[in-house]
Amino acid sequence: MMALRIASFACALLLAACGTARAPVPPDRLPRFEPLAGPPPRIALVLGSGGPRGFAHIGVLKVLEEMGIHPDLIVGSSVGAMVGVLYGAGYDAPALERLATDLNMLRFYEMRELVKKPATGRPIQAYVDDKVGDRTLERLRIPVGVVATRLSDHKLVVFDRGDAGLAVRASAADPDNFEPVRIDGELYVDGDELSPVPIRVARAMGARFVIAVDVSAYAETTPAGVPQAWIDKDARRARQIRAEAPQADVLLHPDIGYYAGTSEKYRRRVIGLAESYTRGRMPQIRAALAAFEAKQREPAH
């Protein structure tokens, strides 16, 4: 019986992998950065890393949309890049929620993981490219900056042009679970390594008002018995976020619990928790926006 289950699971993985193999990205579609043209973005939305915790971004987006807040720029790290690219492609919050609740997580697993090899991330690339209709980053409805870590010099890199799926794949290549992603001769890993919530990138791209979303765990909710490696990673992430936080006009950090999951129940729960949290922060968000608007109306000296 156990052998049959394993065989069935392997077959399911194989079927899920079908269609993810694509031709190499041509040189003119390789992810790259070019400064934004036109006036500086008025409002930037910065979406942080966190793997499955990233479903919480959708709950935040639902409330921001209800408030009439629509970003002129989106910057994302890791799962935040995936959500940001889909949002930038035109999926509003209700559409993202439908994608999230209907998602078959099996499509992201790879056969190599059965033998403990790191994943390539190709299914992520294929999923994103499919959902955006193979549009490149510069052809999305809202400009999107995708951040990744370049291995050769351990520097943060931003992609805002080129293949959306490949950029997201690089941004989400967690070194603990994924192979580095090669783009134009360079290897890239997760943007989370250097900037879990890339607020500075949004400012560098010209954003005048920044709403940042941190979906990382609260240190005080860390359960007993958690591996030290997890605690160290959480502490590193928290330090990096604190360093950038002062540059955000609004920083949202919903408490969605410590442990992450992939079940439909988990997805619905964290979306709901993030939505409730953001509703509670609506007065502060409105006050920050009002202060920003008032400052913009001040005469130049």
Side-chain angles (χ1 to χ4, degrees):
M1 182 62 71
M2 181 60 69
L4 180 58
R5 288 177 181 171
I6 293 174
S8 298
F9 180 64
C11 288
L13 281 178
L14 187 60
L15 289 172
C18 290
T20 62
R22 296 191 172 200
V25 173
D28 62 326
R29 278 184 63 99
L30 288 174
R32 60 196 183 279
F33 175 79
E34 294 179 15
L36 295 176
R42 176 173 170 269
I43 297 177
L45 181 63
V46 178
L47 303 180
S49 59
R53 305 175 67 84
F55 289 111
H57 287 310
I58 299 170
V60 175
L61 290 172
K62 289 175 69 175
V63 178
L64 295 182
E65 282 186 1
E66 290 175 14
M67 295 177 66
I69 296 174
H70 302 286
D72 307 293
L73 170 67
I74 304 167
V75 179
S77 182
S78 199
V79 70
M82 176 184 280
V83 176
V85 164
L86 295 176
Y87 197 62
Y91 291 90
D92 61 11
L96 285 175
E97 187 170 22
R98 288 191 294 273
L99 283 180
T101 54
D102 295 341
L103 188 61
N104 178 7
M105 296 299 294
L106 195 60
R107 71 179 298 161
F108 297 114
Y109 289 100
E110 303 177 44
M111 289 291 291
R112 60 195 289 123
E113 294 179 71
L114 291 174
V115 292
K116 306 300 183 182
K117 288 186 177 181
T120 66
R122 291 190 186 96
I124 294 173
Q125 178 181 346
Y127 177 81
V128 171
D129 281 335
D130 176 62
K131 293 304 177 184
V132 304
D134 278 324
R135 281 176 288 169
T136 52
L137 290 170
E138 67 270 25
R139 292 180 58 212
L140 302 182
R141 294 184 183 182
I142 304 170
V144 179
V146 174
V147 305
T149 300
R150 187 169 55 207
L151 280 183
S152 62
D153 54 5
H154 206 63
K155 297 290 186 182
L156 196 68
V157 172
V158 185
F159 300 120
D160 66 352
R161 299 287 189 275
D163 191 278
L166 183 56
V168 169
R169 176 185 165 196
S171 182
D174 174 7
D176 292 334
N177 299 293
F178 291 87
E179 293 180 340
V181 177
R182 186 175 297 277
I183 299 174
D184 199 21
E186 292 280 1
L187 292 175
Y188 296 89
V189 295
D190 204 338
D192 173 84
E193 292 291 298
L194 294 177
S195 187
V197 185
I199 299 165
R200 288 175 182 157
V201 170
R203 289 296 188 190
M205 294 180 75
R208 292 180 290 164
F209 187 88
V210 175
I211 300 174
V213 186
D214 173 13
V215 296
S216 65
Y218 276 69
E220 55 267 31
T221 66
T222 305
V226 166
Q228 187 61 42
W230 294 12
I231 295 173
D232 293 343
K233 188 171 185 176
D234 289 341
R236 181 267 298 169
R237 186 178 285 128
R239 287 194 301 271
Q240 291 168 324
I241 294 170
R242 282 196 303 270
E244 299 198 38
Q247 295 191 39
D249 296 281
V250 174
L251 178 60
L252 303 173
H253 188 190
D255 187 355
I256 59 174
Y258 188 82
Y259 290 111
T262 58
S263 68
E264 181 182 342
K265 181 180 179 181
Y266 174 82
R267 293 173 239 165
R268 291 183 183 276
R269 183 177 71 81
V270 298
I271 291 171
L273 287 172
E275 181 179 351
S276 296
Y277 165 87
T278 309
R279 271 187 212 291
R281 294 291 303 274
M282 287 172 71
Q284 294 96 318
I285 298 170
R286 287 198 176 103
L289 268 172
F292 167 71
E293 297 290 359
K295 189 173 183 179
Q296 297 305 301
R297 290 193 294 270
E298 293 177 358
H301 297 291

